[in-house]
Amino acid sequence: MLVRSLLPEVPADNTLTVDGQTLTHAGLYSAAAALAARLTGSGPVAVIAHPTLDTVVAVVAAQHAGVPVVPVPPDSGPAELTHILTDSRATLLLGSTSDPPVPGFETMPIRTDGPPAPATPAAPGDTALILYTSGTTGAPKGAELSSRAIAADLDALAEAWQWTPEDTLAHGLPLYHVHGLVLGVLGALRTGCRLVHTGRPLPARYAAAGATLYFGVPTVWSRMVASPACARALRPARLLVSGSAALPGPVFAGLRALTGHRPVERYGMTETLITVSARADGPRLPGCVGTALAGVETRVVPEPGHAVGELQVRGNTLFNGYAHRGAATQESFSRDGWFRTGDAATIDADGVHRILGRMKSDLIKSGGFRIGAGEVEDALLTHPAVHEVAVLGRPHSDLGEEIVAFVVADRVTADALISHVATTLSNHKRPRQVVFLDALPRNQMGKVQKHRLG
């Protein structure tokens, strides 16, 4: 059976297009089997994950050969690339001849001109992918994901989103993260739907894809809203999905006005895959990420006297652990076996989750109140002069922490923005300081890197 029961043994009668190049599902399986003959018996295989069909072939080939695959960002700096390769203990590095050399590692070109290899049996619980975290709190860690966890997650999402072989999925997300690779490629293969990967997530390319299902991150959707003609081209779609960071309220409203769709928001982490999502047949509310998926349990562990607390999850989508980091794996779980996400959240009586941000940087403790940075950010974004904003807490001798807003805006004063928040939210939630910037620091998935703000 192909790819440890993760993908159908018989390929769907459909196509995958990546940046203009197309293969049928059957053609992909055949190419992967040929490449797998060169990988069988190796240890983890790293793949420089360019947005190309070669990357998809390499990922499927490694799974066909029964070895873990380690997707590597193609723009990794030398130190990051060396860390990922050594930490994962990769034995092979697959890439193109144009990729820069890595000292100590030979890059093997992705070739599919040999005889096919038989699929190598492997237990569903074995590690299938090693995906590296963003490393915002230290060196990136490799999250080991099994084919069983990936399959469970994709099946739960297919049920929640009514995702079928009749869909055409379009996105332009990186092929080295959960959103772009697991959901956006393996999800299309598992459901058997057509895939159009746009190479880059540009509004014009999304508009031209003619899809029923679109995946994007908030930066992508913000750019779509800023390109009204492209956004209107998505009206015939069935579902727009947003993830990887909170979707600002004004962007949600803009998508609804231009496309006619309320976007589905979902929540997850590299270590847990997607655990919570709005449903295709359920309510989609701005600022909310829906309910727990089938097979997933969630809970909020609050501090005494407060409804807000850390979101913890357990279920069949969780990772096997961090590669070669037993202590870090153990520390990421509670004593009774729940994964500690580190995110602040609330869950209402209907099971609807609202993510307020990271416990350490986005849950601000000011004057005895617990304030979610995201709530203040959404309030600031309703001001017409504001384009981007990030809110965090700074130590304060009297309040404990004071609210500081880092803002990208046109011709507006700090006092005007502080007053604007005070007319929208409770007075204690207004920023005490506003810092104007030309741009916010972001990673490749569009997430604001708050640790880089002073």
Side-chain angles (χ1 to χ4, degrees):
M1 185 174 291
L2 184 67
V3 193
R4 310 174 182 178
S5 303
L6 175 57
L7 303 184
E9 189 168 4
V10 178
D13 184 18
N14 241 321
T15 60
L16 297 95
T17 299
V18 182
D19 202 17
Q21 293 187 309
T22 300
L23 272 178
T24 64
H25 286 216
L28 170 65
Y29 280 30
S30 177
L35 178 59
R38 306 170 68 201
L39 310 180
T40 300
S42 71
V45 173
V47 178
I48 300 178
H50 297 282
T52 62
L53 268 179
D54 274 353
T55 294
V56 177
V57 170
V59 168
V60 176
Q63 300 304 287
H64 185 98
V67 298
V69 62
V70 186
V72 178
D75 60 349
S76 296
E80 180 185 11
L81 182 54
T82 300
H83 168 74
I84 291 174
L85 295 178
T86 55
D87 186 74
S88 66
R89 301 181 187 174
T91 58
L92 292 173
L93 175 61
L94 297 177
S96 69
T97 54
S98 61
D99 288 316
V102 183
F105 291 89
E106 181 180 355
T107 302
M108 178 186 294
I110 297 169
R111 292 174 47 193
T112 59
D113 53 359
T120 301
D126 286 352
T127 298
L129 288 175
I130 305 176
L131 295 183
Y132 273 77
T133 61
S134 59
T136 56
T137 58
K141 297 188 290 291
E144 298 185 327
L145 299 166
S146 69
S147 60
R148 179 167 54 204
I150 296 168
D153 199 54
L154 293 176
D155 290 348
L157 288 171
E159 188 273 331
W161 297 344
Q162 300 177 358
W163 188 0
T164 74
E166 304 305 313
D167 277 309
T168 294
L169 167 63
H171 73 91
L173 303 175
L175 299 184
Y176 46 86
H177 285 307
V178 167
H179 201 165
L181 178 61
V182 177
L183 275 60
V185 173
L186 299 180
L189 292 172
R190 186 166 178 84
T191 60
C193 79
R194 178 171 171 257
L195 170 65
V196 178
H197 189 288
T198 61
R200 296 174 61 194
L202 301 176
R205 296 189 184 187
Y206 271 46
T212 61
L213 181 61
Y214 288 86
F215 290 170
V217 297
T219 300
V220 171
W221 296 125
S222 177
R223 291 172 181 170
M224 290 298 299
V225 169
S227 305
C230 294
R232 292 189 188 99
L234 273 54
R235 279 186 168 269
R238 186 177 65 78
L239 212 62
L240 311 183
V241 177
S242 183
S244 298
L247 185 67
V251 178
F252 186 106
L255 285 173
R256 185 183 181 191
L258 292 168
T259 69
H261 294 285
R262 288 175 171 266
V264 162
E265 291 194 69
R266 88 306 180 275
Y267 167 83
M269 301 179 68
T270 305
E271 295 91 338
T272 67
L273 300 175
I274 307 307
T275 51
V276 179
S277 178
R279 300 177 60 88
D281 58 359
R284 305 172 209 166
L285 306 172
C288 297
V289 292
T291 55
L293 294 175
V296 174
E297 296 178 85
T298 62
R299 71 182 185 185
V300 167
V301 180
E303 296 181 4
H306 297 277
V308 175
E310 182 186 44
L311 179 65
Q312 300 183 0
V313 302
R314 67 181 181 186
N316 51 16
T317 70
L318 266 61
F319 72 146
N320 288 343
Y322 295 115
H324 318 299
R325 294 172 185 249
T329 301
Q330 186 174 3
E331 290 169 4
S332 68
F333 285 86
S334 68
R335 290 184 178 180
D336 54 349
W338 293 71
F339 180 78
R340 303 180 59 186
T341 68
D343 285 324
T346 61
I347 306 175
D348 70 14
D350 296 320
V352 175
H353 296 61
R354 183 182 292 271
I355 307 299
L356 304 177
R358 299 297 290 169
M359 289 287 291
K360 290 184 178 179
S361 62
D362 294 321
L363 187 61
I364 302 167
K365 302 174 183 180
S366 182
F369 296 98
R370 300 295 188 271
I371 303 159
E375 186 178 18
V376 184
E377 290 165 355
D378 279 348
L380 284 164
L381 283 166
T382 63
H383 193 288
V386 175
H387 303 299
E388 294 182 283
V389 61
V391 168
L392 50 80
R394 271 185 181 165
H396 189 272
S397 59
D398 179 47
L399 298 172
E401 287 183 303
E402 65 175 354
I403 301 172
V404 181
F406 295 82
V407 176
V408 179
D410 294 325
R411 289 190 292 275
V412 65
T413 66
D415 286 344
L417 294 181
I418 292 170
S419 297
H420 178 74
V421 173
T423 62
T424 305
L425 302 176
S426 301
N427 195 49
H428 67 266
K429 296 180 181 180
R430 73 191 190 282
R432 301 290 177 141
Q433 291 190 45
V434 175
V435 179
F436 292 99
L437 301 173
D438 293 331
L440 297 179
R442 295 179 181 273
N443 66 13
Q444 293 163 327
M445 290 298 290
K447 293 183 181 180
V448 176
Q449 296 178 304
K450 290 190 176 182
H451 65 285
R452 293 175 57 189
L453 296 170

